Amino acid sequence: TQDVAFQGSKERLDGLHFNARSIISKTDELGACIDTWSCDVVAITETWLREGQDWQLNTTGKRIFRQDRGVCKRGGGVALLIQESATAGRRDNVLKGSSNEALWEGFRNKKGAVTLLGVNY
C-alpha cells in the first residue's frame, strides 16, 4: 500500500464524477469536460470496459486506473483519472469484498493526513 501525494502544497482537490454508460462512445465528451474544469481527479462509473480492452483518453496530465467488470457480465466498471503529478498507488485493502468494481486511492495533504478517495459501482 502506497500513499498518494500531490507535488506542491495544494489545499484541496477538484474532482468530477462522470457516469459514462460506455466510455468508448463518450471519450471526446469526457476529454472536453476535463479540459474545461481542470479537475485533479475524475471518477468514472459504468465504463463498460472489459479486461484487456484498450482505451485511451486524449488529455494530458492524467493517469488512468481501472477496475473492469468480469468478462461474463455486461455493463459496470469504474475508473479513476488522477493527475500525473500525484504519486499514486492502489488501496486494495479498503472495504475488501464490498465490490469487485471499486478503486481507492489515498491522498496525503501537506500536514501528513491521508484522505481516501474511492469510486464504487
Side-chain angles (χ1 to χ4, degrees):
T1 301
Q2 180 182 7
D3 291 334
V4 178
F6 281 94
Q7 295 173 356
S9 58
K10 218 166 158 55
E11 291 288 328
R12 67 170 205 216
L13 297 177
D14 294 316
L16 169 71
H17 172 252
F18 191 83
N19 186 38
R21 299 203 69 225
S22 183
I23 195 65
I24 298 293
S25 63
K26 298 177 181 79
T27 299
D28 291 340
E29 181 182 350
L30 176 59
C33 288
I34 291 169
D35 291 342
T36 299
W37 289 308
S38 301
C39 300
D40 299 309
V41 177
V42 179
I44 306 169
T45 50
E46 293 194 77
T47 63
W48 294 13
L49 296 172
R50 299 286 171 256
E51 187 175 325
Q53 184 176 9
D54 189 35
W55 175 70
Q56 298 294 321
L57 181 64
N58 190 17
T59 189
T60 57
K62 299 282 187 279
R63 287 189 294 162
I64 301 169
F65 298 88
R66 291 172 31 182
Q67 181 64 47
D68 301 331
R69 181 168 278 188
V71 293
C72 299
K73 299 178 182 176
R74 184 174 182 265
V78 295
L80 280 174
L81 308 179
I82 299 176
Q83 239 182 12
E84 284 182 343
S85 64
T87 305
R90 262 174 100 156
R91 291 284 186 119
D92 292 327
N93 60 342
V94 177
L95 299 178
K96 191 169 184 119
S98 67
S99 171
N100 64 348
E101 295 170 56
L103 287 173
W104 295 90
E105 303 290 336
F107 296 88
R108 186 176 302 279
N109 69 16
K110 64 184 180 180
K111 293 180 181 178
V114 174
T115 300
L116 292 178
L117 173 74
V119 58
N120 187 19
Y121 183 79

PDB file of all heavy atoms in Angstrom, residues 51 66-73 75-78 90 92 94-104 119-121:
ATOM      1  N   GLU A  51     -11.652  -6.470 -19.283  1.00  0.00           N
ATOM      2  CA  GLU A  51     -10.233  -6.719 -19.065  1.00  0.00           C
ATOM      3  C   GLU A  51      -9.554  -6.960 -20.410  1.00  0.00           C
ATOM      4  O   GLU A  51     -10.043  -7.695 -21.262  1.00  0.00           O
ATOM      5  CB  GLU A  51     -10.053  -7.948 -18.176  1.00  0.00           C
ATOM      6  CG  GLU A  51      -8.630  -8.182 -17.776  1.00  0.00           C
ATOM      7  CD  GLU A  51      -8.511  -9.338 -16.801  1.00  0.00           C
ATOM      8  OE1 GLU A  51      -9.425  -9.522 -15.970  1.00  0.00           O
ATOM      9  OE2 GLU A  51      -7.502 -10.045 -16.884  1.00  0.00           O
ATOM     10  N   ARG A  66      -8.063   1.537 -13.627  1.00  0.00           N
ATOM     11  CA  ARG A  66      -9.344   0.919 -13.979  1.00  0.00           C
ATOM     12  C   ARG A  66      -9.613  -0.319 -13.138  1.00  0.00           C
ATOM     13  O   ARG A  66      -8.704  -1.024 -12.754  1.00  0.00           O
ATOM     14  CB  ARG A  66      -9.325   0.458 -15.440  1.00  0.00           C
ATOM     15  CG  ARG A  66      -9.300   1.540 -16.431  1.00  0.00           C
ATOM     16  CD  ARG A  66      -9.096   1.068 -17.845  1.00  0.00           C
ATOM     17  NE  ARG A  66      -9.613  -0.236 -18.221  1.00  0.00           N
ATOM     18  CZ  ARG A  66      -9.451  -0.764 -19.422  1.00  0.00           C
ATOM     19  NH1 ARG A  66      -8.798  -0.106 -20.345  1.00  0.00           N
ATOM     20  NH2 ARG A  66      -9.940  -1.951 -19.701  1.00  0.00           N
ATOM     21  N   GLN A  67     -10.901  -0.573 -12.925  1.00  0.00           N
ATOM     22  CA  GLN A  67     -11.366  -1.849 -12.387  1.00  0.00           C
ATOM     23  C   GLN A  67     -12.546  -2.253 -13.263  1.00  0.00           C
ATOM     24  O   GLN A  67     -13.629  -1.693 -13.151  1.00  0.00           O
ATOM     25  CB  GLN A  67     -11.785  -1.721 -10.918  1.00  0.00           C
ATOM     26  CG  GLN A  67     -12.257  -3.017 -10.308  1.00  0.00           C
ATOM     27  CD  GLN A  67     -11.147  -4.052 -10.250  1.00  0.00           C
ATOM     28  OE1 GLN A  67     -10.036  -3.774  -9.830  1.00  0.00           O
ATOM     29  NE2 GLN A  67     -11.453  -5.258 -10.682  1.00  0.00           N
ATOM     30  N   ASP A  68     -12.296  -3.190 -14.165  1.00  0.00           N
ATOM     31  CA  ASP A  68     -13.313  -3.606 -15.124  1.00  0.00           C
ATOM     32  C   ASP A  68     -14.201  -4.693 -14.537  1.00  0.00           C
ATOM     33  O   ASP A  68     -13.798  -5.426 -13.636  1.00  0.00           O
ATOM     34  CB  ASP A  68     -12.650  -4.138 -16.397  1.00  0.00           C
ATOM     35  CG  ASP A  68     -11.758  -3.105 -17.057  1.00  0.00           C
ATOM     36  OD1 ASP A  68     -12.033  -1.898 -16.915  1.00  0.00           O
ATOM     37  OD2 ASP A  68     -10.786  -3.509 -17.720  1.00  0.00           O
ATOM     38  N   ARG A  69     -15.401  -4.800 -15.087  1.00  0.00           N
ATOM     39  CA  ARG A  69     -16.297  -5.885 -14.695  1.00  0.00           C
ATOM     40  C   ARG A  69     -15.813  -7.155 -15.366  1.00  0.00           C
ATOM     41  O   ARG A  69     -15.195  -7.127 -16.417  1.00  0.00           O
ATOM     42  CB  ARG A  69     -17.718  -5.563 -15.149  1.00  0.00           C
ATOM     43  CG  ARG A  69     -18.712  -6.640 -14.741  1.00  0.00           C
ATOM     44  CD  ARG A  69     -20.124  -6.217 -14.928  1.00  0.00           C
ATOM     45  NE  ARG A  69     -20.529  -5.405 -13.775  1.00  0.00           N
ATOM     46  CZ  ARG A  69     -21.777  -5.008 -13.582  1.00  0.00           C
ATOM     47  NH1 ARG A  69     -22.719  -5.314 -14.431  1.00  0.00           N
ATOM     48  NH2 ARG A  69     -22.075  -4.284 -12.527  1.00  0.00           N
ATOM     49  N   GLY A  70     -16.125  -8.287 -14.768  1.00  0.00           N
ATOM     50  CA  GLY A  70     -15.718  -9.576 -15.330  1.00  0.00           C
ATOM     51  C   GLY A  70     -16.214  -9.787 -16.751  1.00  0.00           C
ATOM     52  O   GLY A  70     -17.191  -9.171 -17.188  1.00  0.00           O
ATOM     53  N   VAL A  71     -15.558 -10.668 -17.481  1.00  0.00           N
ATOM     54  CA  VAL A  71     -15.862 -10.875 -18.899  1.00  0.00           C
ATOM     55  C   VAL A  71     -17.243 -11.448 -19.145  1.00  0.00           C
ATOM     56  O   VAL A  71     -17.787 -11.288 -20.232  1.00  0.00           O
ATOM     57  CB  VAL A  71     -14.799 -11.783 -19.570  1.00  0.00           C
ATOM     58  CG1 VAL A  71     -13.462 -11.083 -19.636  1.00  0.00           C
ATOM     59  CG2 VAL A  71     -14.692 -13.115 -18.857  1.00  0.00           C
ATOM     60  N   CYS A  72     -17.849 -12.097 -18.186  1.00  0.00           N
ATOM     61  CA  CYS A  72     -19.152 -12.733 -18.395  1.00  0.00           C
ATOM     62  C   CYS A  72     -20.322 -11.806 -18.092  1.00  0.00           C
ATOM     63  O   CYS A  72     -21.468 -12.186 -18.276  1.00  0.00           O
ATOM     64  CB  CYS A  72     -19.266 -13.984 -17.521  1.00  0.00           C
ATOM     65  SG  CYS A  72     -18.034 -15.222 -17.912  1.00  0.00           S
ATOM     66  N   LYS A  73     -20.044 -10.603 -17.625  1.00  0.00           N
ATOM     67  CA  LYS A  73     -21.114  -9.691 -17.224  1.00  0.00           C
ATOM     68  C   LYS A  73     -21.130  -8.461 -18.119  1.00  0.00           C
ATOM     69  O   LYS A  73     -20.113  -7.992 -18.571  1.00  0.00           O
ATOM     70  CB  LYS A  73     -20.925  -9.267 -15.766  1.00  0.00           C
ATOM     71  CG  LYS A  73     -20.975 -10.426 -14.793  1.00  0.00           C
ATOM     72  CD  LYS A  73     -20.727  -9.941 -13.387  1.00  0.00           C
ATOM     73  CE  LYS A  73     -20.717 -11.103 -12.419  1.00  0.00           C
ATOM     74  NZ  LYS A  73     -20.381 -10.673 -11.075  1.00  0.00           N
ATOM     75  N   GLY A  75     -22.014  -4.345 -18.781  1.00  0.00           N
ATOM     76  CA  GLY A  75     -22.076  -3.071 -18.065  1.00  0.00           C
ATOM     77  C   GLY A  75     -21.014  -2.964 -16.989  1.00  0.00           C
ATOM     78  O   GLY A  75     -20.028  -3.684 -16.976  1.00  0.00           O
ATOM     79  N   GLY A  76     -21.235  -2.021 -16.063  1.00  0.00           N
ATOM     80  CA  GLY A  76     -20.355  -1.861 -14.910  1.00  0.00           C
ATOM     81  C   GLY A  76     -18.985  -1.324 -15.236  1.00  0.00           C
ATOM     82  O   GLY A  76     -18.727  -0.782 -16.304  1.00  0.00           O
ATOM     83  N   GLY A  77     -18.074  -1.471 -14.290  1.00  0.00           N
ATOM     84  CA  GLY A  77     -16.705  -0.999 -14.431  1.00  0.00           C
ATOM     85  C   GLY A  77     -16.547   0.422 -13.920  1.00  0.00           C
ATOM     86  O   GLY A  77     -17.452   1.241 -14.039  1.00  0.00           O
ATOM     87  N   VAL A  78     -15.388   0.676 -13.309  1.00  0.00           N
ATOM     88  CA  VAL A  78     -15.090   2.010 -12.788  1.00  0.00           C
ATOM     89  C   VAL A  78     -13.666   2.398 -13.171  1.00  0.00           C
ATOM     90  O   VAL A  78     -12.833   1.547 -13.490  1.00  0.00           O
ATOM     91  CB  VAL A  78     -15.254   2.083 -11.249  1.00  0.00           C
ATOM     92  CG1 VAL A  78     -16.691   1.857 -10.831  1.00  0.00           C
ATOM     93  CG2 VAL A  78     -14.322   1.106 -10.553  1.00  0.00           C
ATOM     94  N   ARG A  90      -2.641   1.961  -5.616  1.00  0.00           N
ATOM     95  CA  ARG A  90      -3.963   1.471  -5.264  1.00  0.00           C
ATOM     96  C   ARG A  90      -4.039   1.036  -3.809  1.00  0.00           C
ATOM     97  O   ARG A  90      -3.081   0.554  -3.248  1.00  0.00           O
ATOM     98  CB  ARG A  90      -4.326   0.279  -6.137  1.00  0.00           C
ATOM     99  CG  ARG A  90      -5.198   0.678  -7.290  1.00  0.00           C
ATOM    100  CD  ARG A  90      -5.387  -0.491  -8.183  1.00  0.00           C
ATOM    101  NE  ARG A  90      -6.661  -1.121  -7.938  1.00  0.00           N
ATOM    102  CZ  ARG A  90      -7.267  -1.838  -8.858  1.00  0.00           C
ATOM    103  NH1 ARG A  90      -6.728  -2.025 -10.032  1.00  0.00           N
ATOM    104  NH2 ARG A  90      -8.416  -2.398  -8.602  1.00  0.00           N
ATOM    105  N   ASP A  92      -5.952  -1.638  -2.163  1.00  0.00           N
ATOM    106  CA  ASP A  92      -6.792  -2.814  -2.358  1.00  0.00           C
ATOM    107  C   ASP A  92      -7.437  -3.314  -1.077  1.00  0.00           C
ATOM    108  O   ASP A  92      -8.382  -4.075  -1.125  1.00  0.00           O
ATOM    109  CB  ASP A  92      -5.979  -3.953  -2.990  1.00  0.00           C
ATOM    110  CG  ASP A  92      -5.584  -3.638  -4.418  1.00  0.00           C
ATOM    111  OD1 ASP A  92      -6.364  -2.964  -5.111  1.00  0.00           O
ATOM    112  OD2 ASP A  92      -4.494  -4.061  -4.824  1.00  0.00           O
ATOM    113  N   VAL A  94      -9.072  -1.567   1.236  1.00  0.00           N
ATOM    114  CA  VAL A  94     -10.178  -0.753   1.729  1.00  0.00           C
ATOM    115  C   VAL A  94     -11.495  -1.411   1.326  1.00  0.00           C
ATOM    116  O   VAL A  94     -11.742  -1.658   0.160  1.00  0.00           O
ATOM    117  CB  VAL A  94     -10.112   0.686   1.165  1.00  0.00           C
ATOM    118  CG1 VAL A  94     -11.305   1.501   1.619  1.00  0.00           C
ATOM    119  CG2 VAL A  94      -8.817   1.342   1.572  1.00  0.00           C
ATOM    120  N   LEU A  95     -12.328  -1.688   2.301  1.00  0.00           N
ATOM    121  CA  LEU A  95     -13.634  -2.318   2.078  1.00  0.00           C
ATOM    122  C   LEU A  95     -13.532  -3.547   1.186  1.00  0.00           C
ATOM    123  O   LEU A  95     -14.374  -3.780   0.327  1.00  0.00           O
ATOM    124  CB  LEU A  95     -14.630  -1.310   1.483  1.00  0.00           C
ATOM    125  CG  LEU A  95     -14.941  -0.088   2.332  1.00  0.00           C
ATOM    126  CD1 LEU A  95     -15.897   0.848   1.599  1.00  0.00           C
ATOM    127  CD2 LEU A  95     -15.530  -0.474   3.677  1.00  0.00           C
ATOM    128  N   LYS A  96     -12.508  -4.330   1.377  1.00  0.00           N
ATOM    129  CA  LYS A  96     -12.282  -5.519   0.566  1.00  0.00           C
ATOM    130  C   LYS A  96     -13.507  -6.431   0.636  1.00  0.00           C
ATOM    131  O   LYS A  96     -14.043  -6.687   1.690  1.00  0.00           O
ATOM    132  CB  LYS A  96     -11.037  -6.261   1.040  1.00  0.00           C
ATOM    133  CG  LYS A  96     -10.607  -7.334   0.089  1.00  0.00           C
ATOM    134  CD  LYS A  96      -9.241  -7.850   0.456  1.00  0.00           C
ATOM    135  CE  LYS A  96      -8.822  -8.845  -0.583  1.00  0.00           C
ATOM    136  NZ  LYS A  96      -7.640  -8.477  -1.270  1.00  0.00           N
ATOM    137  N   GLY A  97     -13.941  -6.876  -0.523  1.00  0.00           N
ATOM    138  CA  GLY A  97     -15.082  -7.765  -0.595  1.00  0.00           C
ATOM    139  C   GLY A  97     -16.409  -7.051  -0.772  1.00  0.00           C
ATOM    140  O   GLY A  97     -17.412  -7.684  -1.038  1.00  0.00           O
ATOM    141  N   SER A  98     -16.439  -5.713  -0.656  1.00  0.00           N
ATOM    142  CA  SER A  98     -17.700  -4.998  -0.806  1.00  0.00           C
ATOM    143  C   SER A  98     -18.138  -4.927  -2.258  1.00  0.00           C
ATOM    144  O   SER A  98     -19.304  -4.896  -2.557  1.00  0.00           O
ATOM    145  CB  SER A  98     -17.599  -3.589  -0.221  1.00  0.00           C
ATOM    146  OG  SER A  98     -16.710  -2.808  -0.980  1.00  0.00           O
ATOM    147  N   SER A  99     -17.189  -4.885  -3.168  1.00  0.00           N
ATOM    148  CA  SER A  99     -17.494  -4.828  -4.591  1.00  0.00           C
ATOM    149  C   SER A  99     -16.226  -5.121  -5.365  1.00  0.00           C
ATOM    150  O   SER A  99     -15.152  -4.692  -4.989  1.00  0.00           O
ATOM    151  CB  SER A  99     -18.008  -3.439  -4.984  1.00  0.00           C
ATOM    152  OG  SER A  99     -18.112  -3.333  -6.393  1.00  0.00           O
ATOM    153  N   ASN A 100     -16.350  -5.842  -6.469  1.00  0.00           N
ATOM    154  CA  ASN A 100     -15.166  -6.049  -7.295  1.00  0.00           C
ATOM    155  C   ASN A 100     -15.000  -4.915  -8.291  1.00  0.00           C
ATOM    156  O   ASN A 100     -14.095  -4.919  -9.092  1.00  0.00           O
ATOM    157  CB  ASN A 100     -15.205  -7.411  -7.995  1.00  0.00           C
ATOM    158  CG  ASN A 100     -16.351  -7.528  -8.977  1.00  0.00           C
ATOM    159  OD1 ASN A 100     -17.250  -6.697  -9.005  1.00  0.00           O
ATOM    160  ND2 ASN A 100     -16.334  -8.577  -9.766  1.00  0.00           N
ATOM    161  N   GLU A 101     -15.880  -3.937  -8.234  1.00  0.00           N
ATOM    162  CA  GLU A 101     -15.768  -2.757  -9.084  1.00  0.00           C
ATOM    163  C   GLU A 101     -15.584  -1.535  -8.195  1.00  0.00           C
ATOM    164  O   GLU A 101     -16.456  -0.691  -8.086  1.00  0.00           O
ATOM    165  CB  GLU A 101     -16.989  -2.616  -9.970  1.00  0.00           C
ATOM    166  CG  GLU A 101     -17.107  -3.757 -10.959  1.00  0.00           C
ATOM    167  CD  GLU A 101     -18.422  -3.750 -11.670  1.00  0.00           C
ATOM    168  OE1 GLU A 101     -18.739  -2.715 -12.275  1.00  0.00           O
ATOM    169  OE2 GLU A 101     -19.125  -4.750 -11.601  1.00  0.00           O
ATOM    170  N   ALA A 102     -14.439  -1.479  -7.543  1.00  0.00           N
ATOM    171  CA  ALA A 102     -14.136  -0.361  -6.657  1.00  0.00           C
ATOM    172  C   ALA A 102     -12.651  -0.048  -6.756  1.00  0.00           C
ATOM    173  O   ALA A 102     -11.826  -0.937  -6.864  1.00  0.00           O
ATOM    174  CB  ALA A 102     -14.501  -0.698  -5.219  1.00  0.00           C
ATOM    175  N   LEU A 103     -12.334   1.233  -6.761  1.00  0.00           N
ATOM    176  CA  LEU A 103     -10.955   1.709  -6.729  1.00  0.00           C
ATOM    177  C   LEU A 103     -10.836   2.695  -5.581  1.00  0.00           C
ATOM    178  O   LEU A 103     -11.724   3.525  -5.385  1.00  0.00           O
ATOM    179  CB  LEU A 103     -10.588   2.439  -8.022  1.00  0.00           C
ATOM    180  CG  LEU A 103     -10.396   1.610  -9.270  1.00  0.00           C
ATOM    181  CD1 LEU A 103     -10.209   2.534 -10.472  1.00  0.00           C
ATOM    182  CD2 LEU A 103      -9.196   0.713  -9.130  1.00  0.00           C
ATOM    183  N   TRP A 104      -9.737   2.613  -4.851  1.00  0.00           N
ATOM    184  CA  TRP A 104      -9.486   3.518  -3.740  1.00  0.00           C
ATOM    185  C   TRP A 104      -8.063   4.041  -3.846  1.00  0.00           C
ATOM    186  O   TRP A 104      -7.142   3.290  -4.099  1.00  0.00           O
ATOM    187  CB  TRP A 104      -9.672   2.794  -2.411  1.00  0.00           C
ATOM    188  CG  TRP A 104     -11.081   2.359  -2.198  1.00  0.00           C
ATOM    189  CD1 TRP A 104     -11.640   1.169  -2.573  1.00  0.00           C
ATOM    190  CD2 TRP A 104     -12.123   3.126  -1.605  1.00  0.00           C
ATOM    191  NE1 TRP A 104     -12.954   1.148  -2.236  1.00  0.00           N
ATOM    192  CE2 TRP A 104     -13.284   2.335  -1.635  1.00  0.00           C
ATOM    193  CE3 TRP A 104     -12.176   4.397  -1.044  1.00  0.00           C
ATOM    194  CZ2 TRP A 104     -14.488   2.779  -1.124  1.00  0.00           C
ATOM    195  CZ3 TRP A 104     -13.385   4.838  -0.524  1.00  0.00           C
ATOM    196  CH2 TRP A 104     -14.517   4.030  -0.577  1.00  0.00           C
ATOM    197  N   VAL A 119     -14.063   5.212  -5.918  1.00  0.00           N
ATOM    198  CA  VAL A 119     -15.190   5.130  -6.838  1.00  0.00           C
ATOM    199  C   VAL A 119     -15.660   3.684  -6.784  1.00  0.00           C
ATOM    200  O   VAL A 119     -14.873   2.751  -6.847  1.00  0.00           O
ATOM    201  CB  VAL A 119     -14.822   5.597  -8.273  1.00  0.00           C
ATOM    202  CG1 VAL A 119     -13.689   4.785  -8.856  1.00  0.00           C
ATOM    203  CG2 VAL A 119     -16.033   5.566  -9.182  1.00  0.00           C
ATOM    204  N   ASN A 120     -16.956   3.510  -6.599  1.00  0.00           N
ATOM    205  CA  ASN A 120     -17.529   2.187  -6.391  1.00  0.00           C
ATOM    206  C   ASN A 120     -18.814   2.074  -7.192  1.00  0.00           C
ATOM    207  O   ASN A 120     -19.629   2.975  -7.191  1.00  0.00           O
ATOM    208  CB  ASN A 120     -17.814   2.030  -4.887  1.00  0.00           C
ATOM    209  CG  ASN A 120     -18.251   0.640  -4.526  1.00  0.00           C
ATOM    210  OD1 ASN A 120     -18.043  -0.306  -5.265  1.00  0.00           O
ATOM    211  ND2 ASN A 120     -18.851   0.520  -3.374  1.00  0.00           N
ATOM    212  N   TYR A 121     -18.965   0.943  -7.875  1.00  0.00           N
ATOM    213  CA  TYR A 121     -20.202   0.706  -8.631  1.00  0.00           C
ATOM    214  C   TYR A 121     -20.705  -0.675  -8.326  1.00  0.00           C
ATOM    215  O   TYR A 121     -19.996  -1.626  -8.366  1.00  0.00           O
ATOM    216  CB  TYR A 121     -19.960   0.863 -10.135  1.00  0.00           C
ATOM    217  CG  TYR A 121     -21.221   0.690 -10.949  1.00  0.00           C
ATOM    218  CD1 TYR A 121     -22.122   1.740 -11.038  1.00  0.00           C
ATOM    219  CD2 TYR A 121     -21.504  -0.501 -11.577  1.00  0.00           C
ATOM    220  CE1 TYR A 121     -23.292   1.592 -11.767  1.00  0.00           C
ATOM    221  CE2 TYR A 121     -22.669  -0.655 -12.310  1.00  0.00           C
ATOM    222  CZ  TYR A 121     -23.565   0.388 -12.402  1.00  0.00           C
ATOM    223  OH  TYR A 121     -24.713   0.249 -13.116  1.00  0.00           O
TER     224      TYR A 121
END
